Amino acid sequence: MTHVQLTHLARLESEAIHIMREVVAEAENPVMLYSVGKDSSVMLHLAKKAFYPSPPPFPLLHVDTTWKFQDMYKLRDKAARDAGMELLIHHNPDAVAQGINPFDHGALHTDMWKTDGLKQALDKWGFDAAFGGARRDEEKSRAKERVFSFRTAQHRWDPKAQRPELWSLYNARKAKGESMRVFPISNWTELDIWQYIHLEGIEIVPLYFSAPRPTVERDGLILMVDDDRFPLAPGEEPVMRSIRFRTLGCYPLTGAVESQAKTLPEVIQEMLLTTTSERQGRAIDHDAGASMEIKKQQGYF
Amino acid sequence: MTDQVYKTDALIAQDIDAYLDLHQNKTLLRFITCGSVDDGKSTLIGRLLYDSKMIFEDQLTQLESDSKRMGTQGQDIDFALLVDGLAAEREQGITIDVAYRFFATEKRKFIVADTPGHEQYTRNMVTGASTAELAVILIDARKGVLTQTRRHSYLVRLLGIKNIVLAVNKMDLVGYDQATYDQIVADYTEFAASIGITDFNAIPISGFKGDNITAPSDNTPWYDGVSLMAHLETVELDQSADQAADFRMPVQWVNRPNLDFRGFSGKIVSGQVAAGDDVRILPSGKTTQVDRIVTMDGDLQRAVAGQSVTLTLRDEVDCSRGQIVTAANSPLEVADQFEATVIWMDDAAMIPGRAYYLKIGAQTVSATVAQPKYQVNVNTLEHTAVKTLALNAIGVATVTTDRAIPFAAYADNRELGGFILIDKMTNATVGAGLIHFALRRAQNIHWQDTDITRDHHANLKNQTPAVVWMTGLSGSGKSTIANAVERKLARMNRHTFLLDGDNVRHGLNKDLGFTDADRIENIRRVGEVAKLMTDAGLIVITAFISPFRSERDMVRNMVADGEFIEVFIDTPLSVAEQRDVKGLYAKARSGQLKNFTGIDSPYEPPQGPEIHIDTTTLSVEAAADLIAARIIDRD
């Protein structure tokens, strides 16, 4: 009998598929959180594989802030269509009413649009299981979060009451009103994600690749002027720079890096050869996207 | 940094495509490190991460300054700071349990299960070891084989890890002395043999200085083996053996996009499968052939252990989640009673006889664990007699499931012989188990069909059988009301039988006391008797305190649907205590009577009883009328 060597990516893929099928078999109303980033793109691709030839038997949910890059909205709609999945979009009505935006409201922007918005959306559609694309290598404290992570009816997480996870047995039982967040790519590293995108030819937002784009500098960050809502100083003109993004979020909060990496291998090459972490990204603390990137770097160890 | 990292850097810079090709053909090894902080475990893990990764210059600078500020290694880099998030975790209130770390070399990606701390060590280590293929057991060269070394080794062996590395650490602190090393290896060899570990690899290392971590060290010329990293990179993976075993795949999900396609999705846990192979579905035993192995990347000719696939079958056989597709000529055993090692993981001790959910493979069933045969002391490995298993206890016990399940011995297959136990009320994972062997093979017990069925019995009596289950505190009035109900039913020509708590304890259950375990067995037996009586067509009335919800639910699940009528005789504790018909409350209050419900033993009131009797507002006669009416209405 021939022996087949399974690569690390094949085993990570198989594990993620196993996790997704467990959720679909045991949860009543699952959903996949979809943020249009590279991790989300990998997760969606895995979902297509897990249930083929059926389309993934759950909808995609985008908790939107209205401030994402235009390229992200384009890929979001196309990806859902290609997968044959329903796309649900939620905007926190309070944030809409109060006109919450990243220029004027700082941390409140993330709290209201994303954190509150997510809870509202889960309640609104009554989802009892939500797939998320978080990885354990992102930061030290994530290293110990479970694959199946429980939330009370009030969406609270009790880190002291985490269930032990043995073998590939996941306990998905919960009381009415409780829910779980499930992280199928917990054991993937950032390099695994990039390698898998490369190997599988997964479509990602073009902003990950370098191109000349209109930019301004703010507090040491290079920001892209993605639409005319960006407040320019009197007489200020956006400057064309060859840039790409290492992480994607709300465009006014996401710092770019100057780069010539136009292809996926070049992006991976640049990532692997970088010997200083992106100092620009540390300039503002309320930048959820950039501080997440830093956490990813620190959590690399 | 090592030469290896420089070579990697050169390849990345010169030929990224070649680098990517190389790195997508890596294998994966999951391992666990066992040892306490004192053994230099964090330092070793930090060193492995550091030596195998590129490190950002500013982070290295940060690490150097942190090392000087709060490290324990003087002016040198303290690698432990790379992994020790413990203080921060304590501040955040996160339980220190199992953390997973990642690193990769040219040949392999590694996932390290790190179980820091001494508290809850057994639970955490068992969890981390359950997914590991290799264990690194750390020994401090200055201290030799300690009690904790024995504990770690026992748990590693228990969880079926075949590859063991004995890392004799801190060799720099014993002057790289060969005699010290040899003595430790000899001591460990002797101990290991006593617990069935016949093979292990010993390596003298210094996590702090880097000796024999990524390359053979000049400080240990007398050691002719490979470095720890080289061993981790080349050790044979379990997947070779897994693929050579017989084919087994638990069905997770049935894929039915339309009427023309019916696929069975699951992860292959052992062996290989190809289109055209004969397979058997368990527990039904039906046989058919594999038609296709379907994936999004096209049909596969062959699939192997570790892959998640979707199979279609040639015949329309009945197959659903939890069933197992196996090679037709080597099916699994099917049984409903096992001897198993049980590891208890919950603050509340195990209750023998209580029904828990048992999840194994893709199947969840109801199961009970009997009083343990013995508990294993993980430090001395002695067996002691116990009544139950407390948090972190490991014992051997009989496990009985409510239906027959296909399984393998844990020693043969972890995925088919390992199970978890889930509390039915809290939904917490409270225990883990490893099946040794079946105690009762399902195929040997046949259900004896009788010509006169339970319907015949009931029709002859012109009634619908029922179990009218009265529950409530001692002195709440259960027996009085039960008696009144039976009198009324008798007058209406109903065939009844009254099972009273006190009376049953004079005969059938006279061997049982009032501990939680005995109370559960008491109720289980009464439930079985009541069930037989309903099969005989009777209306059974019971009067038992039956304080625990899960046991009342157990009886509810024993009898036919709709035949269990739970009656909550609701009398407040103060009222029952005031009545104190039998003088028991007074005794309990004075400490003469232990485990008395309501005093020092809990009562869990029903959450949705069929009938709720408030004895503070209803007379005995009125209550009995109400209950009798509900019973008669069902005819």
Side-chain angles (χ1 to χ4, degrees):
Chain A
M1 206 173 281
T2 49
H3 172 69
V4 181
Q5 189 82 272
L6 294 183
T7 66
H8 75 293
L9 291 175
R11 286 181 67 186
L12 290 171
E13 177 190 80
S14 177
E15 178 185 61
I17 288 173
H18 174 82
I19 290 164
M20 289 183 181
R21 288 170 173 171
E22 280 299 288
V23 171
V24 163
E26 297 216 359
E28 283 168 24
N29 190 16
V31 68
M32 177 166 281
L33 303 179
Y34 183 63
S35 71
V36 211
K38 62 184 194 308
D39 296 339
S40 275
S41 298
V42 166
M43 190 166 61
L44 174 58
H45 185 78
L46 291 164
K48 288 196 268 187
K49 286 196 164 192
F51 303 102
Y52 178 86
S54 296
F58 41 78
L60 292 171
L61 170 62
H62 185 219
V63 180
D64 187 25
T65 65
T66 73
W67 289 94
K68 302 291 174 190
F69 292 91
Q70 291 311 307
D71 275 353
M72 294 174 73
Y73 292 117
K74 272 186 225 153
L75 180 66
R76 177 192 71 185
D77 297 346
K78 177 175 185 293
R81 223 171 26 243
D82 290 352
M85 295 167 77
E86 187 186 1
L87 173 66
L88 304 172
I89 298 163
H90 180 74
H91 295 124
N92 179 353
D94 303 330
V96 174
Q98 294 173 41
I100 300 296
N101 70 74
F103 296 109
D104 303 323
H105 299 104
L108 191 63
H109 170 75
T110 304
D111 284 353
M112 287 189 69
W113 283 111
K114 290 175 82 174
T115 312
D116 295 346
L118 174 60
K119 291 179 197 165
Q120 290 167 353
L122 295 178
D123 286 343
K124 177 170 153 191
W125 283 290
F127 294 121
D128 65 341
F131 292 107
R135 307 192 317 268
R136 283 174 174 155
D137 80 329
E138 284 173 335
E139 51 172 325
K140 277 181 189 169
S141 69
R142 276 278 308 146
K144 57 175 62 251
E145 180 151 11
R146 303 295 191 262
V147 173
F148 282 54
S149 189
F150 281 77
R151 299 292 185 274
T152 65
Q154 293 75 42
H155 302 288
R156 279 194 308 112
W157 180 54
D158 181 1
K160 288 182 182 163
Q162 293 206 84
R163 298 172 178 177
E165 284 179 345
L166 295 102
W167 303 292
S168 47
L169 290 175
Y170 301 101
N171 171 4
R173 301 196 78 89
K174 58 195 176 330
K176 219 167 173 53
E178 293 174 353
S179 62
M180 53 194 175
R181 307 279 164 85
V182 182
F183 305 109
I185 56 172
S186 282
N187 287 327
W188 297 51
T189 61
E190 179 158 27
L191 182 58
D192 295 331
I193 293 285
W194 282 118
Q195 283 180 339
Y196 191 72
I197 290 170
H198 177 61
L199 191 67
E200 296 280 310
I202 298 170
E203 186 174 7
I204 53 173
V205 183
L207 294 162
Y208 285 112
F209 305 113
S210 179
R213 298 187 168 101
T215 64
V216 295
E217 273 199 59
R218 288 282 187 280
D219 300 324
L221 284 185
I222 299 173
L223 298 178
M224 178 174 162
V225 182
D226 196 50
D227 61 34
D228 54 15
R229 291 180 294 178
F230 200 107
L232 295 171
E236 188 181 27
E237 283 288 327
V239 179
M240 293 303 281
R241 286 185 175 91
S242 193
I243 56 160
R244 66 178 179 90
F245 293 87
R246 299 165 55 156
T247 178
L248 292 175
C250 294
Y251 82 82
L253 293 175
T254 308
V257 292
E258 295 202 69
S259 164
Q260 298 301 324
K262 295 185 180 64
T263 65
L264 199 50
E266 285 168 4
V267 167
I268 298 174
Q269 185 175 36
E270 234 179 50
M271 184 193 88
L272 290 171
L273 291 179
T274 306
T275 53
T276 48
S277 35
E278 294 304 326
R279 290 184 187 286
Q280 299 113 304
R282 298 188 183 178
I284 47 174
D285 284 334
H286 64 263
D287 180 347
S291 53
M292 200 60 196
E293 176 80 355
I294 290 163
K295 280 178 185 162
K296 281 176 190 172
Q297 291 165 357
Q298 290 171 339
Y300 212 55
F301 297 100
Chain B
M1 284 198 222
T2 62
D3 290 348
Q4 188 190 36
V5 175
Y6 287 124
K7 267 186 265 160
T8 306
D9 279 354
L11 185 60
I12 293 166
Q14 286 155 20
D15 190 350
I16 183 67
D17 292 320
Y19 170 88
L20 288 171
D21 283 347
L22 185 69
H23 278 254
Q24 63 212 21
N25 287 311
K26 278 186 285 195
T27 51
L28 172 66
L29 175 70
R30 299 185 69 140
F31 70 95
I32 182 171
T33 50
C34 316
S36 69
V37 182
D38 302 336
D39 296 327
K41 181 158 60 84
S42 295
T43 304
L44 175 66
I45 297 172
R47 167 68 75 172
L48 288 171
L49 303 188
Y50 174 82
D51 279 354
S52 61
K53 282 268 184 235
M54 291 178 317
I55 188 163
F56 292 117
E57 271 171 15
D58 54 345
Q59 289 172 335
L60 188 57
T61 312
Q62 180 72 35
L63 179 63
E64 280 165 357
S65 76
D66 283 355
S67 298
K68 283 174 190 146
R69 199 158 46 84
M70 44 188 194
T72 55
Q73 307 295 343
Q75 292 301 301
D76 292 306
I77 290 180
D78 185 353
F79 293 104
L81 293 176
L82 282 173
V83 288
D84 269 351
L86 298 190
E89 284 159 1
R90 281 198 199 98
E91 281 162 24
Q92 292 168 34
I94 296 174
T95 315
I96 298 158
D97 50 13
V98 192
Y100 296 92
R101 321 271 181 198
F102 307 85
F103 68 97
T105 66
E106 306 279 272
K107 299 195 178 82
R108 279 194 177 152
K109 171 188 166 113
F110 299 93
I111 302 178
V112 193
D114 181 16
T115 52
H118 301 280
E119 286 171 59
Q120 316 304 348
Y121 198 87
T122 298
R123 176 173 72 178
N124 299 337
M125 199 184 131
V126 164
T127 302
S130 73
T131 52
E133 295 183 29
L134 177 146
V136 177
I137 294 176
L138 275 163
I139 288 190
D140 184 332
R142 296 169 302 173
K143 296 177 185 159
V145 177
L146 300 176
T147 299
Q148 64 178 18
T149 315
R150 297 175 210 277
R151 182 172 65 198
H152 298 154
S153 302
Y154 169 73
L155 292 175
V156 159
R157 161 98 179 123
L158 182 69
L159 271 289
I161 296 177
K162 294 179 188 79
N163 290 305
I164 295 173
V165 174
L166 184 75
V168 182
N169 194 19
K170 304 197 181 181
M171 284 303 295
D172 54 315
L173 298 182
V174 296
Y176 301 102
D177 179 43
Q178 183 181 5
T180 306
Y181 172 79
D182 286 346
Q183 184 60 50
I184 290 171
V185 174
D187 289 349
Y188 187 78
T189 305
E190 192 186 337
F191 160 72
S194 74
I195 60 166
I197 296 175
T198 51
D199 193 24
F200 64 90
N201 289 77
I203 306 178
I205 64 165
S206 166
F208 169 51
K209 297 285 187 190
D211 295 288
N212 292 321
I213 301 293
T214 55
S217 169
D218 293 340
N219 294 318
T220 54
W222 40 266
Y223 170 72
D224 58 6
V226 297
S227 69
L228 176 60
M229 191 75 95
H231 181 71
L232 294 175
E233 281 184 321
T234 53
V235 67
E236 189 174 356
L237 299 171
D238 285 355
Q239 60 173 255
S240 315
D242 289 347
Q243 287 183 19
D246 293 322
F247 170 69
R248 281 96 175 71
M249 186 192 89
V251 174
Q252 272 188 287
W253 188 68
V254 179
N255 193 336
R256 257 241 81 182
N258 55 56
L259 291 176
D260 300 327
F261 188 93
R262 190 152 163 267
F264 303 97
S265 299
K267 189 165 84 174
I268 301 172
V269 296
S270 83
Q272 315 194 356
V273 68
D277 281 1
D278 290 318
V279 290
R280 189 183 298 268
I281 315 296
L282 295 176
S284 74
K286 295 281 187 331
T287 56
T288 179
Q289 287 95 38
V290 173
D291 189 26
R292 297 168 55 200
I293 305 169
V294 181
T295 79
M296 194 169 83
D297 305 314
D299 283 9
L300 301 179
Q301 276 310 302
R302 174 173 295 279
V304 300
Q307 284 181 299
S308 287
V309 293
T310 296
L311 304 179
T312 61
L313 304 174
R314 296 241 166 102
D315 305 296
E316 280 254 335
V317 290
D318 188 36
C319 185
S320 56
R321 175 169 167 83
Q323 302 196 354
I324 301 183
V325 187
T326 69
N329 57 5
S330 67
L332 289 165
E333 271 189 84
V334 177
D336 66 356
Q337 197 171 69
F338 312 91
E339 183 186 280
T341 296
V342 174
I343 301 130
W344 202 249
M345 301 186 153
D346 198 49
D347 290 329
M350 180 182 96
I351 298 184
R354 167 164 289 183
Y356 297 98
Y357 289 119
L358 179 152
K359 185 170 184 184
I360 181 167
Q363 186 167 30
T364 304
V365 298
S366 188
T368 57
V369 185
Q371 181 174 316
K373 292 171 183 168
Y374 58 85
Q375 179 176 334
V376 179
N377 180 321
V378 291
N379 293 322
T380 63
L381 308 185
E382 287 168 350
H383 295 179
T384 47
V386 283
K387 295 240 182 234
T388 180
L389 295 174
L391 178 63
N392 288 313
I394 298 177
V396 170
T398 298
V399 177
T400 307
T401 53
D402 69 345
R403 77 196 81 149
I405 54 173
F407 76 99
Y410 183 82
D412 295 335
N413 189 302
R414 287 172 157 196
E415 303 285 339
L416 297 172
F419 60 84
I420 55 171
L421 294 167
I422 301 166
D423 187 284
K424 290 191 171 184
M425 290 297 154
T426 65
N427 291 321
T429 302
V430 292
L434 321 169
I435 294 179
H436 299 175
F437 47 77
L439 289 167
R440 184 169 73 195
R441 280 161 184 81
Q443 51 265 42
N444 296 340
I445 315 170
H446 296 283
W447 194 259
Q448 194 63 49
D449 286 326
T450 50
D451 290 335
I452 305 301
T453 64
R454 76 192 308 275
D455 287 347
H456 287 110
H457 289 301
N459 288 341
L460 278 172
K461 297 182 179 64
N462 215 355
Q463 64 187 29
T464 308
V467 175
V468 183
W469 191 276
M470 312 237 180
T471 173
L473 294 169
S474 176
S476 59
K478 294 181 300 296
S479 296
T480 313
I481 294 172
N483 197 39
V485 170
E486 191 175 32
R487 265 191 282 114
K488 287 183 194 295
L489 291 173
R491 253 182 266 133
M492 293 184 272
N493 292 320
R494 293 306 193 279
H495 299 258
T496 60
F497 195 84
L498 174 57
L499 284 168
D500 184 83
D502 286 347
N503 296 351
V504 171
R505 280 184 179 276
H506 286 303
L508 176 66
N509 291 351
K510 72 176 169 192
D511 56 327
L512 300 176
F514 290 88
T515 61
D516 285 355
D518 280 358
R519 283 171 184 271
I520 290 168
E521 177 60 14
N522 183 39
I523 298 305
R524 189 191 69 79
R525 292 185 196 173
V526 169
E528 291 288 355
V529 170
K531 181 187 160 195
L532 287 175
M533 287 180 168
T534 59
D535 285 347
L538 293 175
I539 295 167
V540 187
I541 304 161
T542 72
F544 292 82
I545 298 172
S546 47
F548 305 126
R549 229 170 266 145
S550 46
E551 279 64 61
R552 297 193 299 265
D553 286 347
M554 170 176 76
V555 179
R556 183 187 290 275
N557 290 329
M558 277 182 197
V559 303
D561 280 349
E563 290 189 3
F564 187 81
I565 301 169
E566 189 174 32
V567 184
F568 181 24
I569 308 297
D570 189 0
T571 304
L573 179 63
S574 56
V575 177
E577 191 166 357
Q578 208 176 4
R579 289 183 199 154
D580 205 5
V581 190
K582 301 170 195 164
L584 297 175
Y585 283 97
K587 279 190 189 169
R589 284 291 183 198
S590 68
Q592 289 170 269
L593 209 52
K594 290 285 175 208
N595 299 320
F596 195 76
T597 301
I599 307 297
D600 58 350
S601 185
Y603 179 79
E604 300 169 358
Q607 281 172 328
E610 274 74 10
I611 305 174
H612 188 154
I613 302 293
D614 181 350
T615 65
T616 59
T617 58
L618 274 184
S619 68
V620 171
E621 281 302 307
D625 279 335
L626 198 149
I627 296 165
R630 282 289 292 276
I631 296 166
I632 298 304
D633 282 350
R634 298 163 59 254
D635 285 348

